[in-house]
Structure formats: structure tokens, C-alpha cells
Amino acid sequence: MKLMISIALLFLLPSCASQTSVVYIESSPEPLDGVIQTKIKDTVSLVCTLNGTHEDKELVWLRNDAMIKLNDGNKENRSCVCINPVIQKDDGATFTCQLKSNSSHSASVTLNVTYSADLSGSEKVTLEEEESLDLQCDMRANPLATSVTWQLNGTLVDLSTGGFIITNDGINTKLYAKKVDRSLHEGSYQCTVTSPGYGPQSKTFQVTVTDKTIKFPLMPTIAGVVVVALTTLLAIVSRWRVIAKCCK
Ligand SMILES: *[C@@H]1O[C@H](CO)[C@@H](O)[C@H](O)[C@H]1NC(C)=O
Ligand SMILES: *[C@@H]1O[C@H](CO)[C@@H](O)[C@H](O)[C@H]1NC(C)=O
Ligand SMILES: *[C@@H]1O[C@H](CO)[C@@H](O)[C@H](O)[C@H]1NC(C)=O
Ligand SMILES: *[C@@H]1O[C@H](CO)[C@@H](O)[C@H](O)[C@H]1NC(C)=O
Ligand SMILES: *[C@@H]1O[C@H](CO)[C@@H](O)[C@H](O)[C@H]1NC(C)=O
């Protein structure tokens, strides 16, 4: 019985070893336990190599199960892809290289992209008396934000006056007030998000409260739809530029 197990192991071990080493990935920066530590705007290059001689030499790359388009000459025996620049959406993305003819011969690495909250600049907001105030800031950061604050005219927003409500859902931090009153709500608002390893990031909103008027809501609605459509289109277009190749 003992002998049989030994013999079985003898046959199993080499086949396991060769399965894991048919394709392998080398990267800059180097991975630790399959995770590449990087930060936004950096460059990551991955080289996949076919180990030994195989009948099928063609390699393919996947980013989270989506095929990456490779140029001819960057497919046989060795293939490299370059993520330049690394963007926020690459955080947690898995890059897999596999033999085209047999996906069970594969190797993967995952990116851990650190980034601060993407906040800057100043936005003008004009409201009429009695409208609701609704400001929001993206609070996403890696590592997670340790502090999220809202200020009005340079001091922390006082939740006991003005009917302010602050909510954080991990993605956005929102400052809300149901009915604005010029004396309480007009001013300069600032959201600030701090995460470890990065300084505080802020965005300012200059809120002006005007007198109440009668409204025709059709035009703003149409403009809003156009803006949403354009933003979506731009997001799709810019996505195609992300994965460039940098083989040497
Ligand atoms: C390449 O294959 C050989 C033989 O199967 C193995 O000893 C070696 O460790 C492999 N190299 C890598 C980098 O996987
Ligand atoms: C791939 O490797 C094989 C065997 O080592 C070799 O015959 C072939 O020319 C190589 N192909 C390329 C494109 O380097
Ligand atoms: C793919 O490779 C595995 C491991 O070597 C092997 O067991 C399997 O039969 C191969 N599949 C095909 C379709 O060649
Ligand atoms: C990613 O890196 C950050 C900073 O080093 C670390 O705090 C976090 O735990 C890492 N996340 C994962 C999923 O490895
Ligand atoms: C904030 O400062 C502006 C400009 O000094 C002032 O007009 C406004 O009333 C202030 N807002 C509050 C709520 O104090």
C-alpha cells in the first residue's frame, strides 16, 4: 500500500510541476504571492514566456476574462503587455497568460493599485431659495480613507444648524440640506478625504443662493441627457487607450 502511494506520487509530482511551469509571467515591478503592488500613473510590464518546446506556441492574454489584442510577433513563445499608465480601474484586475490551444496552461497576476481620492478644483453651484442642496465627492481611495470631512467657509459643517445631513457609502460622501436659505447655506463648501500614504485631497463648491423664480424644467432635462450620453461615450473611447504595448 505504502509502495503504491509512493509510485503514484512519483508519477503525479512531475506532471504537476510541468503543468505549472509551461507558461510563466515575469513582471516589473515583481509580484509578491501573485499580487503586483503599484500606484496610479505608474507603468507595469508583464512578460509571459512559454517554457520548453511545445507544438502550439501561441499565447493569449486576458484582463479579467476579456481578451487583450496582441500584435503579430508578440504571440509566439513570448508575449508582453504593458499597462501604461495604471488607472484606478486596474485595481484588483487580474492578468492571465495562457496557451491559446489549452487554457489549462496558464499563469496570472493581480494588480493592487494604490491611489488617493480623485478630488480637486472648484465647482460653482447656483440654487434658488428653498431648493435642496446636494453636494457629493468621490471618497474612494486605496488604502481606504481614514478621514472624510465637509467644511463651510473654513469651519466644519455644523450638523445642528441648517438641517445638514452627511452620508458616506464608501464610494461617495454626500452633503445634503432639504431647503436652502441664503443666510444659512450660501458660501464656500469643501470636502476633504485623507487616506494613508497620501495627503488630504479636497474639492470646493461655491454655492450661491438666488431668489425664487418660476421654472421651465424641459431645457435642463435635455441638456442633462446630452451630457450623460457624451460622458458615457468618452469613457468608452478612453478605455481603449489604456492597454498599450511596450515590448523590447
Ligand atoms: C521550465 O521547465 C523546467 C522543466 O520542466 C523546470 O525545471 C523549470 O523550473 C521551468 N521554469 C520556470 C520558470 O517555470
Ligand atoms: C518558438 O520556439 C520554437 C522552439 O523553441 C522555435 O522553433 C520558434 O522559431 C520560436 N518562434 C519564435 C517566433 O520565436
Ligand atoms: C490541456 O492540458 C492538460 C494538462 O496538461 C491536459 O490534461 C488536457 O488534456 C489538455 N487539453 C487539451 C484540449 O489538449
Ligand atoms: C493593497 O495595498 C495596500 C497598500 O500597501 C494594502 O493596504 C492593501 O491591503 C492591499 N490590498 C490587497 C487586496 O492586497
Ligand atoms: C460664507 O462666507 C460668505 C463670504 O464671506 C458669506 O457671504 C456667507 O454668508 C458665509 N456663509 C455662512 C453660512 O456663514
Side-chain angles (χ1 to χ4, degrees):
M1 190 61 191
K2 221 173 179 179
L3 187 70
M4 273 172 69
I5 293 170
S6 304
I7 291 169
L9 277 177
L10 212 66
F11 281 97
L12 272 174
L13 282 176
S15 78
C16 284
S18 68
Q19 254 188 50
T20 53
S21 64
V22 168
V23 293
Y24 61 91
I25 295 174
E26 288 167 306
S27 75
S28 165
E30 280 179 26
L32 183 66
D33 295 329
V35 176
I36 296 175
Q37 197 67 41
T38 183
K39 58 183 194 297
I40 215 150
K41 291 183 187 147
D42 276 3
T43 301
V44 170
S45 65
L46 307 171
V47 180
C48 179
T49 308
L50 184 59
N51 189 8
T53 49
H54 297 266
E55 226 172 275
D56 299 298
K57 295 181 277 292
E58 191 169 342
L59 300 167
V60 293
W61 276 101
L62 305 172
R63 181 192 184 277
N64 290 342
D65 301 325
M67 193 87 77
I68 297 173
K69 197 180 177 317
L70 299 171
N71 294 330
D72 291 337
N74 187 24
K75 292 177 182 171
E76 272 199 9
N77 298 337
R78 183 179 180 276
S79 175
C80 52
V81 293
C82 181
I83 303 119
N84 179 27
V86 168
I87 60 166
Q88 191 176 317
K89 278 185 183 153
D90 291 319
D91 186 34
T94 297
F95 289 81
T96 304
C97 172
Q98 62 193 39
L99 208 53
K100 191 179 186 188
S101 59
N102 188 340
S103 63
S104 60
H105 293 299
S106 69
S108 302
V109 288
T110 301
L111 302 193
N112 181 356
V113 182
T114 60
Y115 53 90
S116 62
D118 186 15
L119 297 171
S120 62
S122 179
E123 192 181 310
K124 283 199 160 59
V125 178
T126 304
L127 295 172
E128 287 179 12
E129 288 270 8
E130 294 183 21
E131 279 185 329
S132 60
L133 173 71
D134 211 342
L135 305 177
Q136 73 174 50
C137 289
D138 192 332
M139 63 177 281
R140 284 173 297 174
N142 182 23
L144 293 176
T146 48
S147 141
V148 178
T149 59
W150 283 92
Q151 294 188 325
L152 167 55
N153 281 357
T155 53
L156 285 179
V157 167
D158 183 357
L159 295 179
S160 64
T161 59
F164 289 112
I165 298 172
I166 294 174
T167 55
N168 298 325
D169 63 5
I171 297 170
N172 289 305
T173 174
K174 295 180 187 171
L175 177 70
Y176 177 81
K178 196 169 178 207
K179 273 190 176 179
V180 296
D181 172 332
R182 184 179 294 152
S183 65
L184 291 175
H185 299 104
E186 193 168 76
S188 169
Y189 292 79
Q190 191 175 46
C191 66
T192 303
V193 175
T194 310
S195 61
Y198 292 92
Q201 305 291 312
S202 301
K203 179 175 176 180
T204 303
F205 299 87
Q206 300 294 343
V207 175
T208 308
V209 179
T210 61
D211 292 337
K212 216 174 158 179
T213 58
I214 303 156
K215 274 180 282 181
F216 301 96
L218 188 60
M219 286 315 286
T221 308
I222 291 171
V225 168
V226 171
V227 167
V228 168
L230 280 177
T231 311
T232 311
L233 189 69
L234 279 175
I236 291 168
V237 169
S238 67
R239 205 46 218 137
W240 289 110
R241 300 203 192 124
V242 169
I243 298 163
K245 280 150 214 85
C246 67
C247 293
K248 279 171 214 140

